């Protein structure tokens, strides 16, 4: 299947200092849909790219945007949503931050820069879990409570993977454990309590799920 | 791909058949009519008479357009008003069930076909009306290319106002399709120029159908970098817009 018209994914690739990365290879593939072909593009001197995903997806598919520059590979994900005029997917190198509770810790990918102003993106819908790595993005990083939306994807959904992570987070919440978040561009260095988690499948697949974690500010770390 | 305008002087040819050596000096078109200045040597029907003059003839404007046979392509309907079966009749080997011709309509939207009303190679689907300057999407499963011909018995007004619809069609995600109906390949226009002409708002998109690579070349107003500002180098270019407000686009005058 494919879309009946064009749909553009666009964004920038930055290095750890927030500088543009030119010449990175971008490969877009469909994770949950039936299309097996890919689209490729190269970031320009500004680090900008745009790519039409018309031929490789349907609306609602989860797609993978892989950025490769030198020895660095970054996987980002987004659900195709035609209600948006275009969709933004940015990538930065070395962008993990620590999500640590009293009994668990997880590495998430820090929120992407929205644009060259280096402000954190607030409107990208997807947080990602790709095998054993986690991507994250932010829907209200300056607000209280802090809401993390995570999309999780695995080959086989077992307790040790998606369900296991979800159960662990429920346990942390029920036990009132503290969650420390550090390393998001200095934007958040605080301790939180999990107030709510929700867990639901992504359309058209049994291998990808969304997880929302609502955190209440407790104290500065 | 060429979009040639060929004037066929049907009446004129009929007149000329018995008159060998007729020489056309000049032609001028006025809407759907054409005036021809000509000379003719003496003929067996007009002995020892050379004559020259001006005559009016009925003209049929013909357009040829090359389309691909192996995937999706788009073109502007420049024939007389008709139906999708009239479109299909102009396409060779249009005979497979998965092949289709489609016209963009602002009357309905569904998630599978958007606003494309489709008529298939096995004659199934919707034999919808097609009007001059409608955008046709064709999907074929053969190989190579073919040239289709369209002819208009009436004049075509290339300069016009096109209404790009966002709110008028329930469910439309903001897509519309239209064309320049003449040759602007030598005008030095870029996609950003088209965006300016439309008056796109920041974030809205206009894409030009590159009928060489068979892909949409998109320009995001206020966001795309110049690397993506492609020169429009084909005749009768097709444009796709994705907007979030209704827009009236005064399509520019043809050269």
């Amino acid at each position: 299947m494919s879309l009946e018209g064009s749909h553009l994914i666009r964004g920038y690739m930055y290095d750890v200092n927030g500088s543009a990365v030119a010449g990175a290879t971008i490969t877009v593939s469909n994770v949950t849909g039936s299309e097996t072909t890919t689209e490729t593009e190269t970031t320009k001197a500004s680090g900008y790219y745009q790519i039409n995903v018309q031929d490789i997806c349907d609306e609602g598919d989860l797609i993978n945007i892989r950025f490769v520059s030198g020895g660095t590979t970054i996987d980002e994900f987004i659900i195709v949503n035609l209600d948006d005029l275009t969709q933004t997917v940015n990538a930065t190198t070395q962008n993990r931050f620590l999500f640590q509770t009293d009994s668990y810790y997880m590495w998430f990918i820090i929120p992407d820069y929205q644009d060259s102003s280096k402000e954190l993106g607030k409107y990208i819908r997807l947080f990602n879990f790709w095998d054993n790595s986690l991507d994250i993005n932010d829907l209200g990083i300056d607000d209280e409570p802090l809401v993390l939306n995570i999309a999780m994807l695995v080959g086989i959904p077992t307790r040790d993977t998606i369900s296991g992570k979800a159960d662990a987070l429920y346990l942390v919440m029920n036990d009132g454990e503290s969650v420390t978040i550090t390393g998001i561009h200095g934007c958040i260095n605080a301790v939180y309590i999990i107030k709510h988690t929700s867990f639901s499948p992504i359309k058209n697949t049994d291998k990808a799920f969304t997880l929302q974690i609502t955190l209440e500010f407790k104290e500065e770390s | 791909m060429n979009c040639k305008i060929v004037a066929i002087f049907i009446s004129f040819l009929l007149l000329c058949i018995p008159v060998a050596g007729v020489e056309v000096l000049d032609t001028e078109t006025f809407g759907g009519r054409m005036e021809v200045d000509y000379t003719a040597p003496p003929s067996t029907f007009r002995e020892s008479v050379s004559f020259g003059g001006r005559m009016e003839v009925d003209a049929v404007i013909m357009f040829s357009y090359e389309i691909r046979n192996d995937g999706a392509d788009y073109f502007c309907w420049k024939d007389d008003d008709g139906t999708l079966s009239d479109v299909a009749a102009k396409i060779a080997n249009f005979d497979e069930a998965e092949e289709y011709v489609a016209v963009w309509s602002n009357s309905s939207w569904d998630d599978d076909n958007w606003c494309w009303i489709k008529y298939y190679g096995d004659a199934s689907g919707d034999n919808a009306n097609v009007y001059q300057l409608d955008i046709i999407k064709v999907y074929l499963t053969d190989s190579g290319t073919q040239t289709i011909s369209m002819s208009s018995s009436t004049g075509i007004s290339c300069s016009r106002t096109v209404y790009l619809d966002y709110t008028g069609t329930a469910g439309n995600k903001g897509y519309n399709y239209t064309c320049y109906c003449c040759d602007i390949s030598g005008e030095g226009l870029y996609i950003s120029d088209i965006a300016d002409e439309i008056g796109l708002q920041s974030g809205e998109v206009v894409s030009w159908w590159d009928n060489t690579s068979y892909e949409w070349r998109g320009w995001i107003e206020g966001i795309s970098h110049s690397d993506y500002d492609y020169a429009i180098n084909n005749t009768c270019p097709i444009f796709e817009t994705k907007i979030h407000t209704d827009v009236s686009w005064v399509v520019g005058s043809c050269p």
Side-chain angles (χ1 to χ4, degrees):
Chain A
M1 295 293 289
S2 60
L3 299 172
E4 289 288 334
S6 69
H7 183 64
L8 292 174
I9 306 295
R10 45 95 173 179
Y12 293 85
M13 184 174 183
Y14 302 106
D15 65 16
V16 66
N17 298 313
S19 300
V21 176
T25 299
I26 299 170
T27 304
V28 183
S29 60
N30 196 324
V31 176
T32 58
S34 59
E35 291 293 336
T36 57
T37 57
T38 60
E39 297 283 0
T40 60
E41 180 59 300
T42 303
T43 55
K44 308 306 182 187
S46 58
Y48 179 79
Y49 78 96
Q50 64 183 48
I51 193 163
N52 178 14
V53 297
Q54 172 180 4
D55 293 333
I56 64 166
C57 65
D58 281 326
E59 186 169 24
D61 286 349
L62 179 69
I63 59 174
N64 169 219
I65 301 91
R66 171 163 290 183
F67 299 75
V68 178
S69 177
T72 301
T73 298
I74 300 173
D75 284 311
E76 298 290 349
F77 302 83
I78 201 165
I79 294 175
V80 176
N81 183 356
L82 299 181
D83 290 330
D84 296 332
L85 289 170
T86 59
Q87 290 181 270
T88 304
V89 180
N90 298 324
T92 53
T93 58
Q94 300 178 13
N95 53 355
R96 291 185 176 190
F97 76 94
L98 184 61
F99 183 97
Q100 184 166 10
T101 77
D102 296 339
S103 56
Y104 298 89
Y105 71 89
M106 303 176 189
W107 286 98
F108 292 80
I109 303 300
I110 62 173
D112 293 325
Y113 289 124
Q114 181 75 7
D115 51 36
S116 56
S117 67
K118 300 182 182 179
E119 295 178 353
L120 292 173
K122 294 180 181 296
Y123 304 109
I124 298 174
R125 301 169 186 277
L126 199 59
F127 291 66
N128 299 296
F129 184 103
W130 181 262
D131 293 331
N132 291 319
S133 65
L134 292 165
D135 292 346
I136 193 168
N137 226 311
D138 166 66
L139 289 179
I141 206 160
D142 297 322
D143 301 327
E144 297 289 352
L146 176 62
V147 179
L148 304 179
N149 289 278
I150 302 170
M152 304 193 295
L153 177 73
V154 294
I156 302 173
T158 69
R159 283 188 61 83
D160 293 334
T161 53
I162 288 178
S163 297
K165 299 291 184 187
D167 285 348
L169 289 168
Y170 278 120
L171 189 62
V172 167
M173 177 179 68
N174 292 332
D175 290 348
E177 291 190 32
S178 297
V179 175
T180 303
I181 296 177
T182 55
I184 307 182
H185 302 307
C187 296
I188 296 177
N189 290 298
V191 179
Y192 294 85
I193 300 293
I194 298 178
K195 300 300 292 182
H196 177 74
T197 64
S198 63
F199 180 68
S200 59
I202 290 176
K203 180 183 175 184
N204 297 330
T205 178
D206 61 354
K207 297 180 180 178
F209 302 84
T210 59
L211 177 65
Q212 185 179 79
I213 308 170
T214 303
L215 299 167
E216 181 180 270
F217 176 79
K218 181 179 178 183
E219 61 190 21
E220 297 291 339
S221 61
Chain B
M1 189 177 296
N2 295 317
C3 180
K4 299 177 180 177
I5 300 177
V6 180
I8 298 214
F9 313 110
I10 294 178
S11 301
F12 182 67
L13 288 174
L14 288 173
L15 284 173
C16 293
I17 287 171
V19 184
V22 168
E23 181 183 4
V24 175
L25 300 176
D26 190 24
T27 64
E28 291 181 84
T29 56
F30 300 93
R33 297 187 63 78
M34 177 173 288
E35 290 186 352
V36 182
D37 295 336
Y38 68 94
T39 61
S43 74
T44 57
F45 302 100
R46 293 188 175 90
E47 292 183 6
S48 68
V49 176
S50 273
F51 62 93
R54 167 170 287 217
M55 60 184 296
E56 284 193 0
V57 298
D58 291 330
V60 175
I61 311 299
M62 297 193 68
F63 310 92
S64 61
Y65 206 89
E66 187 178 86
I67 61 172
R68 70 189 296 198
N69 291 334
D70 56 349
D73 204 347
Y74 303 81
F75 64 90
C76 184
W77 181 246
K78 301 178 82 171
D79 208 288
D80 294 332
D81 295 347
T83 64
L84 282 174
S85 61
D86 296 325
V87 178
K90 293 183 176 297
I91 300 172
N93 300 316
F94 183 75
D95 51 11
E96 303 291 339
E98 62 265 41
E99 295 179 325
Y100 64 81
V101 290
V103 62
W104 184 258
S105 167
N106 284 334
S107 63
S108 63
W109 171 280
D110 70 67
D111 289 340
D112 291 330
N113 299 306
W114 297 12
C115 287
W116 293 108
I117 301 176
K118 295 179 178 176
Y119 180 78
Y120 292 91
D122 61 357
S124 65
D126 190 345
N127 189 21
N129 290 328
V130 176
Y131 300 100
Q132 204 168 66
L133 301 185
D134 276 350
I135 301 304
I136 302 296
K137 181 179 182 181
V138 55
Y139 177 78
L140 302 176
T141 59
D142 301 314
S143 60
T145 62
Q146 65 174 291
T147 299
I148 60 172
S149 295
M150 294 172 279
S151 59
S152 170
S153 60
T154 61
I156 296 179
S157 177
C158 292
S159 300
R160 65 202 192 282
T161 300
V162 175
Y163 298 97
L164 306 181
D165 182 54
Y166 177 64
T167 60
T169 302
N172 190 351
K173 310 290 186 179
Y175 289 91
N176 286 272
Y177 296 83
T178 192
C179 66
Y180 262 81
C181 67
C182 52
D183 184 357
I184 59 171
S185 58
E187 298 303 302
L189 289 178
Y190 286 74
I191 308 178
S192 61
D193 296 321
I194 302 299
D196 290 342
E197 184 176 284
I198 300 171
L200 290 184
Q201 298 180 20
S202 181
E204 293 183 325
V205 182
V206 57
S207 298
W208 159 61
W209 179 247
D210 185 339
N211 59 356
T212 300
S213 60
Y214 304 115
E215 60 186 327
W216 291 107
R217 304 285 194 183
W219 175 262
I220 310 170
E221 181 64 15
I223 293 174
S224 287
H225 291 222
S226 57
D227 308 273
Y228 293 94
D229 195 8
Y230 289 91
I232 299 166
N233 59 12
N234 64 336
T235 59
C236 311
I238 308 295
F239 297 101
E240 176 195 75
T241 53
K242 189 173 185 184
I243 56 176
H244 60 192
T245 55
D246 292 340
V247 175
S248 296
W249 172 11
V250 180
V251 178
S253 300
C254 292

